Amino acid sequence: MANWTTANIPDQSGRTAVITGANTGLGLETAKALAAKGAHVVLAVRNVDKGEAAVEWISRSVPDADLELQRLDLGSLTSVREAADEIRAKHDTIDLLINNAGVMYPPKETTADGFELQFGTNHLGHFALTGLLLDRLLPVPGSRVVTVSSIGHRINAAIHFDDLQWERSYSRVGAYGQSKLANLLFTYELQRRLTGEKTSALAAHPGGSDTELMRHLPEVLQKAVPLLRPLFQDAAAGALPTLRAATDPGALGGQYFGPNLTTRGYPKVVPSSDQSHDLQLQRRLWAVSEELTGVTYPQLQDARA
């Protein structure tokens, strides 16, 4: 389907979607679109006040929206575990887990657990959350885990196993690239482990989207934003690859969706870097992520190829 839009989202009535970072930008638009199609949407957000504002904003456009607010700080494994426990207590099943939240190009900073902020939030927090909620997804036919990556997974990107937390030196671009590459390595390894299960894992990227995520751009790039803006698309368009990965009945586990014109356009299946498909890299990152987070996926250990 060449020009896929929110009009192509099937009815989501009776389905539960958990979306991280749903209070702004891509996550907010994703939540709005799914709510408009009848899904019960859990907005998992770090700032509850902003989350409440997001609920009000969606409700103005979708008066009958079925929304739930959940506090979640992906930069704290304690918060991730608390949020997972609360979600599990309220929901016996989950149809969609959309790992959307992220930070891009901040000054050097660490999470509550001492991880480099981008790697800890964008990858490790989502790795832990997915593992802790997986048993709510596995029984549901057609359930999906969708993780938002970036074209940045190709830019100065590598998994620096010798210095994952960038303690020796720090590149905000390199650290972001590492975290977004990690999102894809995680998705592909998760999908392989899900072989034979009712749940699938997919990834998406928004292209160049003009969202709050750009607030940490270095000053020289901030000055260039007005000139580059014609290459960007708004958050509603940027959310389309995620929405297609989450809801298109024809989407398959392991697929990666992005705009058809790279930085903007309608969503389609797109390629990712050769590095993201490196099996040994995927498995090594998985093992390290289990060690760092203390979260394992026991249900899938026997499914590994």
Side-chain angles (χ1 to χ4, degrees):
M1 188 177 299
N3 296 336
W4 194 97
T5 70
T6 54
N8 299 109
I9 299 175
D11 179 38
Q12 299 294 300
S13 298
R15 308 191 82 204
T16 295
V18 177
I19 307 172
T20 68
N23 61 296
T24 188
L26 303 173
L28 181 59
E29 293 291 349
T30 300
K32 175 186 172 184
L34 291 175
K37 291 293 184 174
H40 173 74
V41 180
V42 180
L43 290 80
V45 302
R46 183 173 61 86
N47 187 312
V48 174
D49 290 339
K50 290 183 177 180
E52 290 173 347
V55 168
E56 292 178 7
W57 182 82
I58 294 172
S59 297
R60 285 197 294 271
S61 301
V62 187
D64 59 347
D66 185 6
L67 305 172
E68 175 186 333
L69 198 58
Q70 173 63 54
R71 186 181 184 283
L72 167 67
D73 181 357
L74 288 161
S76 164
L77 290 175
T78 296
S79 176
V80 171
R81 289 183 179 277
E82 290 174 349
D85 286 345
E86 291 170 7
I87 292 170
R88 289 166 52 81
K90 295 175 184 176
H91 301 283
D92 292 333
T93 59
I94 297 171
D95 298 84
L96 298 173
L97 172 59
I98 299 180
N99 293 324
N100 162 82
V103 291
M104 183 175 76
Y105 299 168
K108 186 174 182 180
E109 189 177 342
T110 57
T111 69
D113 304 287
F115 306 132
E116 186 277 318
L117 184 62
Q118 296 180 92
F119 185 66
T121 301
N122 299 352
H123 170 60
L124 292 175
H126 283 128
F127 179 92
L129 181 68
T130 303
L132 293 169
L133 294 180
L134 189 63
D135 69 342
R136 294 298 192 259
L137 289 144
L138 289 175
V140 183
S143 57
R144 296 180 186 180
V145 177
V146 178
T147 300
V148 178
S149 183
S150 166
I151 54 178
H153 87 275
R154 296 178 179 272
I155 302 172
N156 196 26
I159 306 298
H160 298 268
F161 289 107
D162 61 337
D163 189 19
L164 278 174
Q165 313 310 332
W166 296 79
E167 293 171 320
R168 292 202 293 268
S169 64
Y170 180 65
S171 161
R172 62 178 74 190
V173 174
Y176 181 71
Q178 173 177 264
S179 73
K180 294 289 102 178
L181 174 59
N183 288 152
L184 284 167
L185 294 167
F186 165 61
T187 295
Y188 297 148
E189 177 67 10
L190 177 59
Q191 175 56 33
R192 183 164 49 253
R193 290 173 180 242
L194 285 167
T195 300
E197 300 286 350
K198 300 173 183 177
T199 305
S200 56
L202 301 91
H205 81 81
S209 295
D210 194 357
T211 71
E212 206 176 274
L213 194 66
M214 301 178 70
R215 66 188 181 276
H216 291 304
L217 283 175
E219 184 177 354
V220 64
L221 295 180
Q222 289 281 6
K223 292 178 179 178
V225 165
L227 299 175
L228 297 174
R229 189 154 273 128
L231 299 176
F232 299 158
Q233 55 189 359
D234 62 20
L240 289 178
T242 299
L243 288 163
R244 186 166 188 180
T247 67
D248 186 342
L252 302 174
Q255 288 183 326
Y256 180 41
F257 285 85
N260 62 344
L261 300 177
T262 304
T263 61
R264 59 186 298 130
Y266 295 102
K268 70 169 189 175
V269 176
V270 296
S272 62
S273 68
D274 290 344
Q275 190 176 198
S276 70
H277 292 284
D278 185 318
L279 298 182
Q280 295 306 313
L281 200 56
Q282 292 166 14
R283 289 167 175 165
R284 186 177 179 187
L285 178 65
W286 186 283
V288 169
S289 300
E290 287 185 328
E291 180 181 349
L292 292 175
T293 64
V295 175
T296 60
Y297 289 58
Q299 310 96 320
L300 301 184
Q301 295 305 306
D302 293 338
R304 176 172 165 177

